[in-house]
Amino acid sequence: MFHYTVDTNKTMDEAVQALEAELKNDKFGVLWDFDVKATLNNKGLDFDKPVRILEVCNPSEAKKVLEKNELVSYFLPCKIVVHESDGMTKIGMPKPTKLIEFVEDQELNQIAEDIEQRMINAINEAK
Protein backbone atom coordinates (compact mmCIF):
# COMPACT_ATOMS: atom_id res chain seq x y z
CA MET A 1 0.00 0.00 0.00
CA PHE A 2 1.13 3.54 -0.71
CA HIS A 3 -0.35 4.88 2.53
CA TYR A 4 -0.57 4.30 6.26
CA THR A 5 -3.97 5.08 7.83
CA VAL A 6 -5.43 4.50 11.30
CA ASP A 7 -8.79 5.14 12.95
CA THR A 8 -9.15 7.20 16.11
CA ASN A 9 -11.98 7.94 18.49
CA LYS A 10 -10.77 11.54 18.74
CA THR A 11 -12.45 14.44 17.00
CA MET A 12 -10.59 15.97 14.10
CA ASP A 13 -9.44 18.91 16.23
CA GLU A 14 -8.26 16.59 19.01
CA ALA A 15 -6.41 14.41 16.49
CA VAL A 16 -4.68 17.42 14.92
CA GLN A 17 -3.64 18.76 18.33
CA ALA A 18 -2.31 15.35 19.38
CA LEU A 19 -0.42 14.99 16.10
CA GLU A 20 1.19 18.40 16.45
CA ALA A 21 2.40 17.49 19.95
CA GLU A 22 3.72 14.07 18.94
CA LEU A 23 5.46 15.39 15.84
CA LYS A 24 7.09 18.16 17.86
CA ASN A 25 8.63 15.51 20.13
CA ASP A 26 10.58 14.27 17.09
CA LYS A 27 11.47 17.73 15.78
CA PHE A 28 8.79 17.77 13.08
CA GLY A 29 6.78 20.94 12.77
CA VAL A 30 3.45 21.61 11.12
CA LEU A 31 4.12 24.20 8.44
CA TRP A 32 0.55 24.43 7.26
CA ASP A 33 -2.83 23.14 8.38
CA PHE A 34 -5.02 23.21 5.27
CA ASP A 35 -8.72 22.91 6.08
CA VAL A 36 -10.07 21.70 2.72
CA LYS A 37 -13.76 21.94 3.64
CA ALA A 38 -13.50 25.51 4.94
CA THR A 39 -11.40 26.65 1.99
CA LEU A 40 -13.74 25.20 -0.62
CA ASN A 41 -16.82 26.52 1.20
CA ASN A 42 -15.20 30.00 1.34
CA LYS A 43 -14.74 29.79 -2.44
CA GLY A 44 -18.47 29.20 -2.85
CA LEU A 45 -18.19 25.46 -3.43
CA ASP A 46 -20.43 23.09 -1.52
CA PHE A 47 -18.12 20.53 0.10
CA ASP A 48 -19.25 18.84 3.30
CA LYS A 49 -16.52 16.27 3.97
CA PRO A 50 -14.15 17.34 6.77
CA VAL A 51 -10.55 17.04 5.54
CA ARG A 52 -7.42 18.66 6.97
CA ILE A 53 -4.05 18.29 5.31
CA LEU A 54 -1.05 18.94 7.54
CA GLU A 55 2.21 19.71 5.81
CA VAL A 56 4.99 18.64 8.16
CA CYS A 57 8.74 18.96 8.07
CA ASN A 58 11.83 18.10 10.05
CA PRO A 59 14.33 20.73 8.83
CA SER A 60 17.42 18.59 9.49
CA GLU A 61 15.99 15.66 7.55
CA ALA A 62 14.84 17.91 4.72
CA LYS A 63 18.31 19.42 4.41
CA LYS A 64 19.91 15.97 4.41
CA VAL A 65 17.76 14.55 1.61
CA LEU A 66 17.80 17.72 -0.49
CA GLU A 67 21.60 17.83 -0.40
CA LYS A 68 21.60 14.25 -1.68
CA ASN A 69 19.09 14.76 -4.50
CA GLU A 70 17.09 17.86 -5.45
CA LEU A 71 14.28 15.73 -6.91
CA VAL A 72 13.22 14.90 -3.36
CA SER A 73 11.85 18.45 -3.18
CA TYR A 74 8.92 17.17 -5.26
CA PHE A 75 7.78 15.17 -2.21
CA LEU A 76 8.36 17.82 0.45
CA PRO A 77 6.97 18.72 2.83
CA CYS A 78 5.52 15.45 4.07
CA LYS A 79 1.76 15.27 4.43
CA ILE A 80 -0.47 13.85 7.12
CA VAL A 81 -4.22 13.93 6.50
CA VAL A 82 -6.94 13.92 9.13
CA HIS A 83 -10.41 13.29 7.76
CA GLU A 84 -13.79 11.85 8.60
CA SER A 85 -15.13 8.80 6.82
CA ASP A 86 -18.13 6.66 7.76
CA GLY A 87 -18.49 8.48 11.08
CA MET A 88 -14.89 7.81 12.10
CA THR A 89 -11.89 10.14 12.28
CA LYS A 90 -8.93 8.81 10.31
CA ILE A 91 -5.28 9.83 10.33
CA GLY A 92 -3.10 8.87 7.39
CA MET A 93 -0.17 9.69 5.21
CA PRO A 94 1.44 8.67 1.95
CA LYS A 95 4.44 6.51 2.83
CA PRO A 96 7.76 8.31 2.23
CA THR A 97 9.30 4.97 1.23
CA LYS A 98 6.84 4.63 -1.65
CA LEU A 99 7.44 8.17 -2.89
CA ILE A 100 11.23 7.98 -2.64
CA GLU A 101 11.32 4.83 -4.80
CA PHE A 102 10.93 7.09 -7.82
CA VAL A 103 14.34 8.65 -7.13
CA GLU A 104 16.11 5.24 -7.27
CA ASP A 105 18.74 5.85 -4.59
CA GLN A 106 19.36 3.25 -1.89
CA GLU A 107 20.77 5.73 0.60
CA LEU A 108 17.65 7.88 0.28
CA ASN A 109 15.50 4.77 0.69
CA GLN A 110 17.10 4.16 4.08
CA ILE A 111 16.52 7.76 5.17
CA ALA A 112 12.90 7.55 4.00
CA GLU A 113 12.41 4.35 6.02
CA ASP A 114 13.57 6.12 9.16
CA ILE A 115 11.37 9.18 8.54
CA GLU A 116 8.38 6.98 7.73
CA GLN A 117 8.74 5.00 10.94
CA ARG A 118 9.03 8.15 13.01
CA MET A 119 5.90 9.61 11.41
CA ILE A 120 4.01 6.32 11.89
CA ASN A 121 5.04 6.37 15.55
CA ALA A 122 3.70 9.92 15.90
CA ILE A 123 0.41 8.93 14.24
CA ASN A 124 0.07 5.88 16.48
CA GLU A 125 0.78 7.90 19.62
CA ALA A 126 -1.66 10.62 18.53
CA LYS A 127 -4.54 8.24 17.86
Side-chain angles (χ1 to χ4, degrees):
M1 261 195 283
F2 80 94
H3 68 96
Y4 178 79
T5 304
V6 298
D7 295 339
T8 179
N9 291 322
K10 293 181 177 175
T11 67
M12 285 187 58
D13 287 337
E14 291 169 340
V16 168
Q17 289 174 0
L19 271 170
E20 287 177 343
E22 290 301 327
L23 289 164
K24 191 174 187 176
N25 288 338
D26 206 6
K27 299 183 176 35
F28 283 88
V30 175
L31 304 174
W32 189 35
D33 178 352
F34 177 46
D35 185 332
V36 177
K37 177 182 174 182
T39 300
L40 292 178
N41 288 177
N42 287 339
K43 301 288 183 186
L45 301 170
D46 186 27
F47 187 78
D48 292 328
K49 187 173 176 121
V51 179
R52 289 172 65 182
I53 302 170
L54 307 179
E55 294 200 343
V56 303
C57 182
N58 176 309
S60 297
E61 296 295 349
K63 178 181 182 293
K64 185 187 325 179
V65 295
L66 287 168
E67 287 177 341
K68 180 87 173 104
N69 190 320
E70 294 169 352
L71 291 175
V72 176
S73 63
Y74 293 179
F75 312 127
L76 297 178
C78 296
K79 292 182 179 21
I80 298 179
V81 177
V82 180
H83 64 98
E84 290 181 7
S85 181
D86 300 323
M88 179 65 73
T89 301
K90 298 186 179 285
I91 306 170
M93 68 174 195
K95 290 182 176 179
T97 55
K98 294 299 181 189
L99 297 172
I100 208 73
E101 287 175 1
F102 293 107
V103 180
E104 300 176 348
D105 181 313
Q106 186 57 38
E107 184 179 341
L108 286 174
N109 289 350
Q110 292 171 342
I111 295 169
E113 286 175 16
D114 176 59
I115 291 168
E116 180 176 301
Q117 192 55 56
R118 290 160 54 196
M119 290 176 64
I120 286 173
N121 290 344
I123 288 172
N124 288 341
E125 290 297 320
K127 74 176 185 177

